[in-house]
Amino acid sequence: MNALTPAARRVWRDVARAGAVLSAVMLGVGLVGSLTASALPPGSAATGGQTLSVTSGNATTAWKLQLTSPNNVCPGDGLAGYKWSTYMVPAAVDAGTLTYNSLGPIAPSGVTFTQPLFSSTGSPIVAKSPGLGDGLITGTPANYSFSAIATLPVPNGTYKIGYACTKDGQTERYWETSITVSNATASGFDFGAAASPTTTTTAAPTTTAGGATTTTVAGATTTTVSGATTTTAAGATTTTVRATTTTTAGSGTSTTTTLAGSLSPTTTIKAVTLPGTFPVTGSSSSWPLAVWALLLLAFGRIAILLARPLRVLPPKRR
């Protein structure tokens, strides 16, 4: 550093100071973002990939509640303040709006039965940390059972059970399976997987006009004109012309084009998050903070060194 001229030292000192200020600002923004949680809007859909290992049983039956990859992750890891817990609530409760503390889910107003799930050994599964760097939900018990709540007043009816990723007590992502409780007594109850909703199939309305054929199925509209097919569903538009396919999702947020004979599509991303997706997990939440912290230390150190006055050594005696 002493080889620099005074003017050069001042320039590099100012650059280092600006870098330190920028790093401090970005570190602060990152910390605020990692500490801020927002609840899911009411009616938010549960994440798929959760399966119950049995179709029926009683309070002493051992069962598994499993999550399949890639849907077995939280939106962030433990360093970003995320936890995962379990819950059991009546079917009328919107599980996406549940809040949590160290003991598990907190009963919403007017709801008398709200419990976490318990392992077959009687341990409540609450406030667990997802994997560092990847947000994976790991360490789930080998088996669950309802033995720990068998003597509680569990009215007959339909209930929701599942996992939830939380931050600052707010649900950020959740999984859901419905069960029915029957034959409830003071010492236990029977349970079974809730019946799947009935699906009704109706013929898709098709119209033909001027050589164009339009078919609408469950809100998806497909139009074919002179060999070109355009399908619009849930805000995504797919157009195929002579084996060239273009898909636009979320009002232009992402466009994917596959040319005839090509092995892989070309994708242009115009926005970071598409509708229905979750933020990148794990390292995206913790590494930027570490990088900005290191840059702050480096720039700060350089600025301090360059701000020191030069030491003038006395001339050597001959």
Side-chain angles (χ1 to χ4, degrees):
M1 294 293 181
N2 289 346
L4 297 175
T5 64
R9 285 175 62 88
R10 286 193 295 270
V11 171
W12 283 108
R13 178 200 62 196
D14 293 341
V15 169
R17 285 177 175 174
V21 171
L22 175 62
S23 299
V25 170
M26 295 305 296
L27 179 60
V29 170
L31 287 173
V32 170
S34 68
L35 294 175
T36 302
S38 58
L40 287 176
S44 297
T47 302
Q50 178 174 277
T51 56
L52 180 63
S53 65
V54 300
T55 57
S56 62
N58 56 40
T60 62
T61 301
W63 43 273
K64 302 179 187 295
L65 194 63
Q66 298 168 311
L67 297 178
T68 56
S69 178
N71 290 336
N72 57 339
V73 296
C74 287
D77 58 22
L79 290 179
Y82 283 89
K83 300 286 185 182
W84 65 266
S85 293
T86 59
Y87 66 88
M88 179 178 178
V89 292
V93 175
D94 184 346
T97 62
L98 286 173
T99 56
Y100 292 79
N101 58 25
S102 60
L103 300 179
I106 300 172
S109 176
V111 178
T112 57
F113 182 90
T114 302
Q115 290 288 330
L117 299 177
F118 290 77
S119 69
S120 57
T121 58
S123 298
I125 308 303
V126 298
K128 305 291 185 180
S129 293
L132 292 179
D134 54 24
L136 283 172
I137 297 177
T138 58
T140 57
N143 289 295
Y144 289 92
S145 81
F146 293 115
S147 298
I149 62 172
T151 58
L152 296 178
V154 185
N156 292 333
T158 303
Y159 293 82
K160 299 172 180 177
I161 62 173
Y163 296 97
C165 294
T166 67
K167 187 176 182 183
D168 296 342
Q170 303 280 358
T171 299
E172 298 288 320
R173 192 178 192 184
Y174 75 103
W175 294 255
E176 184 176 284
T177 298
S178 295
I179 63 170
T180 55
V181 168
S182 59
N183 302 321
T185 66
S187 59
F189 54 83
D190 297 328
F191 75 93
S196 301
T198 302
T199 300
T200 303
T201 302
T202 58
T206 301
T207 59
T208 303
T213 301
T214 301
T215 303
T216 302
V217 180
T221 301
T222 300
T223 303
T224 303
V225 182
S226 301
T229 302
T230 301
T231 301
T232 302
T237 301
T238 300
T239 302
T240 302
V241 182
R242 296 180 182 177
T244 298
T245 302
T246 300
T247 301
T248 301
S251 302
T253 53
S254 174
T255 300
T256 301
T257 302
T258 303
L259 301 179
S262 65
L263 296 179
S264 59
T266 299
T267 302
T268 303
I269 302 296
K270 300 179 181 179
V272 175
T273 304
L274 300 179
T277 62
F278 288 90
V280 178
T281 62
S283 58
S284 65
S285 60
S286 56
W287 280 108
L289 298 180
V291 170
W292 287 117
L294 290 174
L295 288 175
L296 175 59
L297 291 174
F299 282 124
R301 177 64 175 168
I302 294 173
I304 291 173
L305 290 176
L306 292 176
R308 291 178 177 176
L310 292 173
R311 293 177 58 190
V312 180
L313 298 177
K316 296 183 178 179
R317 295 181 181 181
R318 301 195 176 195

